[in-house]
Amino acid sequence: RVRVAVLISGAGSNMAALVDAAGESDAPYEVVLVLSNKAEAGGLTVAEAKGVPTAIVDHAAFGKDRAAHEQAIQTVLEAHHVEVVALAGYMRLLTPFLVGRWAGRMLNIHPSLLPKYPGLDTHARAIAAGDAEAGCTVHLVTEGVDDGPVLGQAVVPVQPDDTPAALAQRVLAAEHQLYPQALARFCRTPD
Ligand code: GAR
């Protein structure tokens, strides 16, 4: 089975969905590491409760030195013999160093129907634009922000009285379905 590391910064609900799906008997991947750039990320506790090894590589410890932070991440990934990296609410931009090192083997989930709304505040922007539909995208990570080949998308309706929080919740539920499916498909046919 393909050895996957999940990178998180927060609650880690997508990470939990990936770990749970990896527990199915026909899963083509296993989650061998959950790595956070924040010591206080709630997802770390969730991962520990599921018996998944965790690591903290706190960006604050490296000041402005992004290269050193990413080198430290890379060292941990190599120590765990990671083959594929799945970003799941990892809220730090990556430099060409780590992106290049994992080209074609790093996935991300983004809470919009890319190419619409890269970046932050996707749900508020979809509502403000009057969109009838919103959703989420799993894509390969390239040097551009929320760019890169799309591996899968899921669509949800925007309701007339939606708030960004309500829409976020609806999209997040779709993320939990989409990401395990897209990662499994990718791990079965990596090229
Ligand atoms: C998810 O909605 C994910 O798509 C988004 O952050 C949330 C993380 O939730 N990611 C981004 O915005 C990346 N720029 P989670 O920690 O519960 O998985």
Side-chain angles (χ1 to χ4, degrees):
R1 298 202 290 161
V2 178
R3 296 175 63 82
V4 172
V6 183
L7 268 55
I8 64 168
S9 300
S13 68
N14 276 291
M15 173 277 295
L18 294 175
V19 170
D20 289 349
E24 289 164 20
S25 57
D26 59 344
Y29 69 90
E30 58 185 318
V31 179
V32 298
L33 175 70
V34 171
L35 186 152
S36 174
N37 67 313
K38 292 186 175 181
E40 68 274 20
L44 289 168
T45 320
V46 176
E48 280 158 18
K50 291 179 182 294
V52 181
T54 61
I56 299 163
V57 184
D58 187 347
H59 62 270
F62 296 87
K64 287 187 170 22
D65 194 346
R66 284 179 181 268
H69 179 234
E70 291 190 356
Q71 182 57 66
I73 291 174
Q74 178 64 23
T75 299
V76 177
L77 295 176
E78 286 176 8
H80 287 79
H81 305 289
V82 170
E83 297 170 297
V84 167
V85 173
L87 305 182
Y90 184 75
M91 301 305 280
R92 207 159 165 79
L93 294 177
L94 296 174
T95 78
F97 168 74
L98 208 59
V99 173
R101 182 66 187 70
W102 291 92
R105 294 186 300 141
M106 181 183 275
L107 284 63
N108 180 44
I109 188 156
H110 182 76
S112 78
L113 295 172
L114 292 173
K116 275 193 163 184
Y117 316 127
L120 299 175
D121 299 324
T122 53
H123 307 301
R125 288 153 72 197
I127 291 169
D131 293 354
E133 292 181 329
C136 48
T137 303
V138 173
H139 64 95
L140 283 174
V141 175
T142 57
E143 282 187 29
V145 175
D146 300 324
D147 206 357
V150 170
L151 300 178
Q153 289 187 312
V155 177
V156 304
V158 179
Q159 307 290 8
D161 56 349
D162 251 345
T163 61
L167 179 56
Q169 204 172 14
R170 197 174 311 122
V171 171
L172 194 59
E175 293 182 45
H176 298 161
Q177 302 298 315
L178 175 69
Y179 209 175
Q181 287 171 12
L183 179 60
R185 201 181 322 122
F186 178 79
C187 289
R188 287 194 183 98
T189 54
D191 306 307

